[in-house]
DNA sequence: TATTAACACGAAACCGTTTTCGATAGCCCC
DNA sequence: GGGGCTATCGAAAACGGTTTCGTGTTAATA
């Protein structure tokens, strides 16, 4: 009597999803027969198959994902944990992940750690209990600062694949995908010097971020490589969300530099603006290069030469590495070996640097 | 013999998750006893409870989410489908969703429709088979253009709660949360006029986007309300990702306008730049107001007066509405009534408009 | 005519929980 | 000493699938 169409809700007919059991009942066969018929198993007669398949189509049968996950012990979900989502770089990486994952039939569960260690841990634990087949993550600032990676260790010890990107740690053995931050900073700095600049300043963040320090290293090495002194006074460490004033005007007024490498777009754009406000010309008097080639770089005036980090590529690679691990988990009794991929970045030249 | 610790992997001990069954075996009690003991049921003796709980703690037992989902027919996941993720507004909305959902113990699965109807449909179908308890979505451009909402209808008919935000449709009966686009455009336009501008131009997108046309309406009404003529020649329809040239210089050279309302940041920033390049002063000669108060508005020079849309608020409200529906689904034999919430936007005044 | 193989299907176990409904044992009481 | 309680636990069904392993029927073969 088609009793799976519930009509007990008052004014709205709710067509509940139908199950194998319903089909079996209606067609007076067993559940296993239905299951096999839908998979076109040759155990089942042509006749029965057609009956079942027609019925299933008619009532739009779709197998329940949860039940399949439980049976297969695979969810086809991957968990992504990032420090922030309102952030151009992470967003582009996420897009790369989502695209690749989707192609492969995976869904993506995102959690935002908000740069907090606790949230990172909680989110991981939530997802690690069967909700996902693997993790892709960038560590929160707090986690990097505390140097506590037990939550990661727990997960990998359980055999759950993990891919770290951008904000990684050496403490954990897993796949990683990185930006060549040091190299990029090196190249950008060298590029400034070769265009005739002699005093290159660095605007970086104060604090613990791995990436900033790598960029600083590249900057230093480039100076040395080009035979220039590292002038510590030209390295300005700014608070993350700094206000106009903190980019001290005095620093500009003295102006003992003719070019600036900035570890992000915002520092660069604000720097340019301050410089222009004080009558300097960009790039003639001061050149600027930023990191993170986002909207700001493109639309600033002058437009900003910037290190493009190809986040989307990074995300795709991370997803590829993860899914490979997830799927091999079930083939070979694996030999685990972990890779670290470096995603090359490139310098997008715009108006804030004079063409050397 | 603690046989749930598998040591058959070569060099890496894999501590597989333990289950009720394992605990039961080790402690020589039944699965039901273990389950009850862990829930502190008073059916179970203090003795047994302590034994079980201690064991569970020791081996870090956590119930399997998938199994629980199957049993409860609730996943504690919500599905979010948005047209794009590398997009400031959607990203902020997502953040609002994620935060609220997380507080309530829900996880968020994101799918990007990429403005494609087909992807939207596929993603919905994927998730609708048990993976999520409800949907939050903004329609893809193609969906809006085709006016085909059967996929939404299917889902709601199955009794799956749905909340639409920003890009919505009247065709579907469900909760909605909207920006007061028309009002915001009205206010912004009025604001320009009251500051003494008499010829306000509009830079909008060509095409079907619901939001753009609402903003245009508000713009038109404001002109009328202020007793000014609507000059069609001052309405410029630009391709979505337009290049410098397309914002025709001629339009600026004639300059039959002294203020511009732009339906997004990018149009505004490019407009300002072009204007400045041609020697006009902003805001003295031409004032600018944009929509979407993002990084560009903040860091442009001059900084851009912009309509802030409070995406985070919007996301939080959407999540709240959805979760309410999801949870009531299981209480009352519901009286479904759908709400439409309007999230007020506000004008963030910056340098691109003269203080009226 | 007895044996056997192919065919078509169903029973049951399983994935990991929760929960209902006994069932057993010990104890008190009359 | 039997009836009734309570305390403590286990069996089993259920969620919705997949899959292994029968099993009964029929037809082909010796």
């Amino acid at each position: 009597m088609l009793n799976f169409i519930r009509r007990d809700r008052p004014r709205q007919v709710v067509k509940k999803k139908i199950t194998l059991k319903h089909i079996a009942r209606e067609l007076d066969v067993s559940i296993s027969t239905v299951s096999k018929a839908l998979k076109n198993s040759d155990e089942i007669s042509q006749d029965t198959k057609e009956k079942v398949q027609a019925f299933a189509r008619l009532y739009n049968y779709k197998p329940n994902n949860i039940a399949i996950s439980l049976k297969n012990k695979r969810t086809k979900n991957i968990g992504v944990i990032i420090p922030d989502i309102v952030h151009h770089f992470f967003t582009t990486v996420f897009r790369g992940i989502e695209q690749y994952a989707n192609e492969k039939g995976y869904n993506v569960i995102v959690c935002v750690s908000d740069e907090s260690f606790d949230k990172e841990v909680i989110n991981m634990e939530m997802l690690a209990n069967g909700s996902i087949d693997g993790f892709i993550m960038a560590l929160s600032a707090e986690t990097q600062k505390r140097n506590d990676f037990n939550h990661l260790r727990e997960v990998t010890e359980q055999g759950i694949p993990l891919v770290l990107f951008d904000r990684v740690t050496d403490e954990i053995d897993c796949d990683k995908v990185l930006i060549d931050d040091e190299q990029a900073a090196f190249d950008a700095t060298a590029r400034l010097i070769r265009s005739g600049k002699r005093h290159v300043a660095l605007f970086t963040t104060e604090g613990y971020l791995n990436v900033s320090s790598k960029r600083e290293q590249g900057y230093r090495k480039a100076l040395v490589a080009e035979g220039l002194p590292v002038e510590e006074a030209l390295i300005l460490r700014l608070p993350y969300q700094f206000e106009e004033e903190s980019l001290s005007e005095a620093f500009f007024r003295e102006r003992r530099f003719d070019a600036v490498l900035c570890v992000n777009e915002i520092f660069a754009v604000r720097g340019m603006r301050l410089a222009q406000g004080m009558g300097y010309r960009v790039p003639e008097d001061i050149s600027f290069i930023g990191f993170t080639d986002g909207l700001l770089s493109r639309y600033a005036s002058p437009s900003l030469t910037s290190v493009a980090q190809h986040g989307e590529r990074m995300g795709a690679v991370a997803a590829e590495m993860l899914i490979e691990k997830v799927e091999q988990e079930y083939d070979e009794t694996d030999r685990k070996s972990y890779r670290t991929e470096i995603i090359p970045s490139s310098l997008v030249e715009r108006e804030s640097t004079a063409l050397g």
Side-chain angles (χ1 to χ4, degrees), chain A:
Chain A
M1 267 306 291
L2 299 184
N3 54 1
F4 53 83
I5 298 193
R6 291 174 46 188
R7 293 179 179 276
D8 54 353
R9 290 277 176 81
R11 310 179 22 72
Q12 189 179 358
V13 180
V14 176
K15 289 195 260 173
K16 272 290 169 203
K17 295 239 92 153
I18 82 173
T19 69
L20 290 186
K21 195 195 284 192
H22 294 134
I23 304 185
R25 249 208 276 287
E26 293 305 319
L27 263 37
D28 210 52
V29 292
S30 78
I31 293 181
S32 16
T33 302
V34 177
S35 175
K36 290 172 194 165
L38 291 176
K39 304 191 119 52
N40 242 313
S41 156
D42 48 9
E43 271 186 80
I44 306 297
S45 73
Q46 200 55 37
D47 241 35
T48 315
K49 280 200 270 195
E50 277 166 15
K51 244 185 4 188
V52 171
Q53 288 172 6
F55 191 92
R57 225 184 340 262
L58 180 59
Y59 287 99
N60 194 28
Y61 169 80
K62 295 275 169 46
N64 180 305
N65 290 332
I66 300 292
I68 293 183
S69 293
L70 183 57
K71 183 97 244 275
N72 297 348
K73 301 174 133 232
R74 303 188 52 202
T75 59
K76 286 251 169 187
N77 286 155
I78 80 187
V80 172
I81 302 181
I82 49 183
D84 191 1
I85 182 77
V86 189
H87 184 294
H88 183 260
F89 175 64
F90 288 128
T91 305
T92 52
V93 174
F94 176 77
R95 179 166 227 270
I97 295 174
E98 204 271 344
Q99 274 185 357
Y100 185 89
N102 223 295
E103 274 172 30
K104 295 291 179 181
Y106 284 75
N107 281 121
V108 182
I109 301 184
V110 202
C111 291
V112 177
S113 67
D114 226 350
E115 303 288 9
S116 139
F117 175 80
D118 290 337
K119 279 202 191 174
E120 190 175 291
V121 172
I122 304 227
N123 281 323
M124 275 200 95
E125 286 182 348
M126 268 228 81
L127 296 181
N129 297 122
S131 300
I132 50 93
D133 296 339
F135 283 106
I136 296 178
M137 44 188 303
L139 301 175
S140 78
E142 206 187 338
T143 304
Q144 292 194 111
K145 180 170 149 195
R146 291 173 59 145
N147 234 286
D148 181 347
F149 307 111
N150 285 315
H151 51 307
L152 304 187
R153 213 162 277 124
E154 287 232 338
V155 156
T156 53
E157 279 175 358
Q158 278 172 33
I160 302 179
L162 166 67
V163 176
L164 253 29
F165 75 90
D166 192 50
R167 309 250 206 105
V168 309
T169 171
D170 291 336
E171 302 276 313
I172 297 289
D173 228 30
C174 67
D175 285 327
K176 286 159 197 165
V177 29
L178 291 171
I179 292 295
D180 56 346
D181 275 304
E182 188 179 317
Q183 184 64 40
F186 184 99
D187 292 346
T189 309
R191 164 75 184 68
L192 289 169
I193 296 168
R194 296 222 182 93
S195 72
K197 306 294 185 177
R198 282 286 159 268
H199 303 279
V200 181
L202 175 71
F203 291 180
T204 183
T205 58
E206 52 183 16
Y208 328 85
L209 252 43
N210 218 336
V211 295
S212 301
S213 65
K214 288 228 189 103
R215 290 171 192 169
E216 183 173 333
Q217 295 236 347
Y219 159 82
R220 288 171 183 274
K221 287 191 183 168
L223 292 178
V224 173
E226 299 285 337
L228 293 176
V230 176
E231 303 169 74
E232 298 293 338
L234 291 188
I235 299 181
L236 203 57
R237 297 178 198 282
L238 303 164
Y240 209 98
Q241 289 292 51
F242 75 104
E243 294 306 311
E244 197 83 52
E245 321 84 55
S246 72
L247 219 181
S248 60
E249 294 196 21
F251 191 75
F252 272 91
R253 204 171 315 279
E254 297 180 17
R255 192 171 80 95
R256 304 231 307 276
F257 56 92
D258 48 18
V260 187
L261 176 68
C262 303
V263 299
N264 61 46
E265 278 187 324
I266 297 184
F267 288 3
V269 170
R270 303 211 75 152
M272 289 203 298
R273 191 170 169 176
L274 207 55
Q276 289 173 312
M278 299 176 73
Y280 299 119
R281 291 163 306 156
V282 178
E284 294 81 357
D285 299 332
I286 310 179
S287 290
F288 280 85
I289 293 185
F291 266 79
T292 304
D293 182 48
L295 283 182
L296 281 182
S297 303
R298 234 187 314 271
Y299 296 113
S301 16
S303 57
L304 180 67
T305 295
S306 186
V307 176
Q309 303 176 281
H310 307 293
E312 210 161 317
R313 186 83 229 294
M314 193 163 187
V317 168
E320 187 187 343
M321 291 167 90
L322 184 74
I323 290 177
E324 185 195 318
K325 279 278 187 304
V326 166
E327 312 216 313
Q328 89 174 15
E329 187 93 335
Y330 300 87
D331 302 349
E332 319 141 43
T333 312
D334 45 330
R335 348 174 59 296
K336 300 217 168 164
S337 68
Y338 298 113
R339 290 185 295 152
T340 294
E341 290 276 341
I342 309 280
I343 306 297
S345 44
S346 53
L347 198 63
V348 180
E349 308 244 6
R350 297 206 184 80
E351 300 161 355
S352 70
T353 49
L355 290 165

